């Protein structure tokens, strides 16, 4: 059964197109290169696109897992040999986008033996506040909320945090500010969001860090290669590496929580 070593991390945002999938992919690549096996799960069930970023054409996806008794390890695609695997979503399947509790429970029961093989489970979630996003986000040990300095990104992130806090009782959030000019812009953006969370929700989000706007990111998308692999010395790659180091420190500090299971204890799915 599970060895209870897996930290579940979800990557989420209020607004789409802020960099979630690229961040999940590249932080994942850093963890793998650091010797931590990682499963990257595409949970953007409406607009899955990690397969495109990775340049892979998966044979199967999560729909197959729900429809059959196929071993989940056969659905996962190897991104790099030795511990970087990818679990494709089923794009555009309405019952998955609006997944009910029974379906979700079945999915996670089937995936549970697979999760236990990894140090990290990264869930790349769809933008916004649909019920599946909220459920997945409240189950994870760690929530990485991706914001950009755009005012619309800030207001939508605040709305997301508010719904998770008021309707799901979630109070801990780690913020990544993407596409910043410099450290100053990172700090100003974070402070705006943190001030609203503090004032209206009584929540103190944690700044994990920032990632500079870098033309090599869209270039890596065009080439369908992780930035960290294609241009490891670019400014954004440098920032992503620093974030991975901080996330690994966070994992070390959360050993007690991790040993209770692959998801946050209060919402632990019942694997019977
Ligand atoms: N730090 C960055 N610098 C420049 N462009 C970025 C950066 N992060 C993301 N992008 C660009 O933003 C677009 C959306 O990124 P993506 O990861 O697909 O967002 P999401 O998953 O949130 O919808 C991509 O075209 C990507 O190249
Ligand atoms: Mg995405």
């Amino acid at each position: 059964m599970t060895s209870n070593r897996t930290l579940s991390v979800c990557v989420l945002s209020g607004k789409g197109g802020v960099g979630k999938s690229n961040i999940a992919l590249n932080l994942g690549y850093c963890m793998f290169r650091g010797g931590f096996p990682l499963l990257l799960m595409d949970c953007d069930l409406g607009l899955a696109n990690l397969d495109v970023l990775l340049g892979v054409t998966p044979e199967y996806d999560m729909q197959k897992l729900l429809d059959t008794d196929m071993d989940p390890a056969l659905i996962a695609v190897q991104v790099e040999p030795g511990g970087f695997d990818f679990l494709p979503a089923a794009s555009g399947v309405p019952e998955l986008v609006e997944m009910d509790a029974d379906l979700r429970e079945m999915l996670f029961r089937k995936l549970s033996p697979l999760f236990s093989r990894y140090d990290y489970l990264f869930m790349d979630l769809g933008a916004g506040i649909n019920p599946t996003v909220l459920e997945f986000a409240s189950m994870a040990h760690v929530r990485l909320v991706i914001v950009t300095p755009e005012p619309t990104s800030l207001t939508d992130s605040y709305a997301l945090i508010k719904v998770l806090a008021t309707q799901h009782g979630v109070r801990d959030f780690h913020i990544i500010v993407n596409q910043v000019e410099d450290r100053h812009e990172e700090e100003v953006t974070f402070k705006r969001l943190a001030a609203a969370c503090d004032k209206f929700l009584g929540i103190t989000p944690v700044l994990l860090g920032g990632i500079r706007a870098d033309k090599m990111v869209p270039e890596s998308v065009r080439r369908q290669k992780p930035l960290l692999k294609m241009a490891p010395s670019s400014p954004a790659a440098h920032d992503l590496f620093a974030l991975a180091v901080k996330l690994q420190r966070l994992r070390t500090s959360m050993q007690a929580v991790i040993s209770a299971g692959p998801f946050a204890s209060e919402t632990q799915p019942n694997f019977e």
Side-chain angles (χ1 to χ4, degrees), residues 93-124:
V93 180
E95 63 169 352
L96 282 177
V97 178
E98 299 291 322
M99 201 182 299
D100 64 22
D102 287 349
L103 200 61
R104 199 169 51 245
E105 209 254 315
M106 177 164 98
L107 181 68
F108 281 94
R109 186 163 25 83
K110 289 186 172 186
L111 286 170
S112 172
L114 179 68
F115 291 161
S116 65
R117 299 180 185 183
Y118 302 91
D119 287 338
Y120 285 96
L121 167 65
F122 274 18
M123 299 187 279
D124 179 23

XYZ file of all heavy atoms in Angstrom, residues 93-124:
275
model
N -14.250 16.347 -21.395
C -15.260 15.369 -20.971
C -16.114 16.029 -19.886
O -15.630 16.268 -18.791
C -14.615 14.077 -20.427
C -15.674 13.079 -20.001
C -13.692 13.467 -21.469
N -17.379 16.341 -20.189
C -18.173 17.130 -19.239
C -18.293 16.475 -17.861
O -18.239 17.154 -16.844
C -19.547 17.227 -19.923
C -19.313 16.892 -21.344
C -18.111 16.027 -21.412
N -18.437 15.141 -17.804
C -18.634 14.510 -16.492
C -17.380 14.650 -15.623
O -17.444 14.578 -14.397
C -19.046 13.033 -16.634
C -18.021 12.158 -17.289
C -18.351 10.672 -17.166
O -19.284 10.337 -16.442
O -17.643 9.879 -17.788
N -16.219 14.832 -16.253
C -14.999 15.041 -15.468
C -14.893 16.484 -14.991
O -14.463 16.752 -13.876
C -13.766 14.672 -16.283
C -13.486 13.176 -16.402
C -12.286 12.928 -17.299
C -13.233 12.554 -15.048
N -15.291 17.408 -15.857
C -15.245 18.824 -15.458
C -16.167 19.047 -14.266
O -15.835 19.748 -13.316
C -15.638 19.733 -16.645
C -15.637 21.186 -16.222
C -14.674 19.544 -17.809
N -17.325 18.410 -14.301
C -18.290 18.544 -13.202
C -18.286 17.259 -12.370
O -19.336 16.697 -12.089
C -19.696 18.772 -13.770
C -19.834 20.044 -14.602
C -19.718 21.310 -13.771
O -20.228 21.300 -12.639
O -19.105 22.274 -14.239
N -17.113 16.796 -11.999
C -16.975 15.503 -11.333
C -17.716 15.473 -9.986
O -17.516 16.351 -9.150
C -15.482 15.265 -11.078
C -15.123 13.821 -10.880
S -13.366 13.609 -10.537
C -12.611 14.248 -11.984
N -18.576 14.465 -9.786
C -19.249 14.397 -8.486
C -18.376 13.625 -7.484
O -17.325 13.078 -7.836
C -20.648 13.787 -8.613
C -20.626 12.339 -9.070
O -19.591 11.670 -8.909
O -21.655 11.876 -9.585
N -18.819 13.601 -6.238
C -17.980 13.035 -5.173
C -17.673 11.557 -5.422
O -16.557 11.094 -5.173
C -18.675 13.228 -3.829
N -18.654 10.800 -5.939
C -18.439 9.364 -6.182
C -17.364 9.135 -7.244
O -16.489 8.280 -7.092
C -19.746 8.706 -6.652
C -20.739 8.578 -5.510
O -20.320 8.811 -4.354
O -21.914 8.270 -5.774
N -17.470 9.901 -8.308
C -16.507 9.755 -9.408
C -15.093 10.137 -8.936
O -14.105 9.469 -9.232
C -16.941 10.655 -10.572
C -16.397 10.322 -11.948
C -16.833 8.930 -12.378
C -16.885 11.355 -12.966
N -15.038 11.205 -8.167
C -13.746 11.668 -7.651
C -13.127 10.620 -6.733
O -11.946 10.308 -6.811
C -13.966 12.986 -6.896
C -12.716 13.784 -6.702
C -13.021 15.171 -6.206
N -13.886 15.192 -5.048
C -15.106 15.702 -5.028
N -15.609 16.253 -6.094
N -15.829 15.664 -3.924
N -13.977 10.052 -5.901
C -13.489 9.032 -4.965
C -12.965 7.823 -5.733
O -11.900 7.280 -5.422
C -14.644 8.651 -4.032
C -14.193 8.191 -2.670
C -14.324 6.694 -2.500
O -15.366 6.140 -2.877
O -13.363 6.081 -2.017
N -13.687 7.431 -6.781
C -13.256 6.287 -7.586
C -11.914 6.592 -8.265
O -11.002 5.766 -8.259
C -14.311 5.954 -8.642
C -13.896 4.831 -9.560
S -15.297 4.174 -10.449
C -15.165 5.024 -11.981
N -11.808 7.788 -8.805
C -10.576 8.173 -9.491
C -9.379 8.097 -8.534
O -8.354 7.488 -8.849
C -10.727 9.597 -10.049
C -9.541 10.156 -10.815
C -9.358 9.410 -12.130
C -9.731 11.641 -11.103
N -9.532 8.681 -7.352
C -8.405 8.715 -6.424
C -8.119 7.343 -5.804
O -6.970 7.040 -5.496
C -8.611 9.803 -5.367
C -8.289 11.164 -5.920
C -9.278 11.972 -6.449
C -6.986 11.610 -5.973
C -8.981 13.212 -7.008
C -6.665 12.841 -6.521
C -7.668 13.651 -7.043
N -9.146 6.509 -5.673
C -8.909 5.146 -5.172
C -8.070 4.372 -6.183
O -7.118 3.687 -5.837
C -10.238 4.445 -4.908
C -10.069 3.090 -4.265
C -11.359 2.566 -3.627
N -12.586 3.100 -4.193
C -13.182 2.636 -5.300
N -12.649 1.627 -5.964
N -14.295 3.174 -5.730
N -8.402 4.523 -7.454
C -7.645 3.818 -8.491
C -6.222 4.357 -8.620
O -5.300 3.622 -8.957
C -8.369 3.944 -9.838
C -9.651 3.122 -9.899
C -10.243 3.151 -11.289
C -11.408 2.172 -11.395
N -11.930 2.062 -12.764
N -6.063 5.657 -8.364
C -4.736 6.268 -8.535
C -3.829 6.102 -7.317
O -2.613 6.241 -7.421
C -4.893 7.761 -8.838
C -5.380 8.109 -10.236
C -5.726 9.595 -10.322
C -4.309 7.763 -11.275
N -4.428 5.796 -6.180
C -3.673 5.773 -4.923
C -2.384 4.934 -4.966
O -1.327 5.395 -4.519
C -4.619 5.300 -3.815
O -3.923 5.086 -2.658
N -2.407 3.699 -5.526
C -1.151 2.928 -5.560
C -0.080 3.583 -6.431
O 1.105 3.455 -6.156
C -1.568 1.573 -6.160
C -3.055 1.541 -6.117
C -3.533 2.953 -6.100
N -0.525 4.294 -7.459
C 0.438 4.977 -8.336
C 1.077 6.154 -7.602
O 2.297 6.324 -7.615
C -0.268 5.458 -9.611
C 0.598 6.211 -10.622
C 1.634 5.275 -11.248
C -0.248 6.848 -11.726
N 0.261 6.956 -6.914
C 0.768 8.139 -6.208
C 1.911 7.774 -5.256
O 2.872 8.514 -5.107
C -0.345 8.802 -5.382
C -1.417 9.465 -6.197
C -2.653 9.752 -5.627
C -1.205 9.813 -7.522
C -3.647 10.382 -6.356
C -2.203 10.438 -8.268
C -3.428 10.717 -7.681
N 1.773 6.625 -4.603
C 2.719 6.289 -3.533
C 4.134 6.039 -4.057
O 5.065 5.924 -3.272
C 2.217 5.068 -2.767
O 2.212 3.954 -3.626
N 4.294 5.990 -5.375
C 5.637 5.777 -5.931
C 6.454 7.067 -6.027
O 7.613 7.039 -6.421
C 5.528 5.223 -7.354
C 4.833 3.899 -7.439
C 4.818 3.494 -8.890
N 4.067 2.283 -9.081
C 3.946 1.667 -10.245
N 4.542 2.172 -11.311
N 3.258 0.573 -10.350
N 5.805 8.185 -5.744
C 6.453 9.467 -6.014
C 6.628 10.289 -4.731
O 5.838 10.185 -3.799
C 5.610 10.288 -7.007
C 5.376 9.561 -8.305
C 4.251 8.754 -8.487
C 6.298 9.646 -9.341
C 4.044 8.071 -9.671
C 6.095 8.964 -10.527
C 4.967 8.178 -10.691
O 4.771 7.499 -11.865
N 7.650 11.159 -4.745
C 7.815 12.118 -3.641
C 6.857 13.288 -3.800
O 6.471 13.904 -2.807
C 9.248 12.650 -3.620
C 10.232 11.602 -3.119
O 9.793 10.662 -2.425
O 11.432 11.708 -3.440
N 6.525 13.591 -5.054
C 5.622 14.715 -5.313
C 4.525 14.314 -6.285
O 4.778 13.614 -7.272
C 6.375 15.879 -5.981
C 7.255 16.673 -5.073
C 8.614 16.388 -4.989
C 6.757 17.726 -4.317
C 9.447 17.121 -4.159
C 7.572 18.467 -3.494
C 8.914 18.164 -3.420
O 9.731 18.905 -2.604
N 3.324 14.793 -5.993
C 2.231 14.754 -6.956
C 1.893 16.211 -7.274
O 1.485 16.958 -6.372
C 1.017 14.047 -6.344
C -0.296 14.209 -7.106
C -0.216 13.542 -8.468
C -1.464 13.630 -6.302
N 2.128 16.625 -8.511
C 1.779 17.987 -8.930
C 0.485 17.929 -9.720
O 0.391 17.187 -10.697
C 2.861 18.565 -9.850
C 4.011 19.223 -9.149
C 4.274 18.996 -7.807
C 4.859 20.078 -9.846
C 5.336 19.612 -7.167
C 5.933 20.703 -9.222
C 6.176 20.458 -7.877
N -0.502 18.715 -9.309
C -1.778 18.753 -10.021
C -1.931 20.116 -10.691
O -2.031 21.139 -10.011
C -2.920 18.498 -9.043
C -2.818 17.119 -8.388
S -4.247 16.713 -7.375
C -3.850 17.599 -5.889
N -1.922 20.101 -12.016
C -2.102 21.341 -12.784
C -3.598 21.534 -12.992
O -4.213 20.824 -13.780
C -1.358 21.204 -14.126
C -1.505 22.432 -15.013
O -1.783 23.518 -14.477
O -1.354 22.282 -16.237
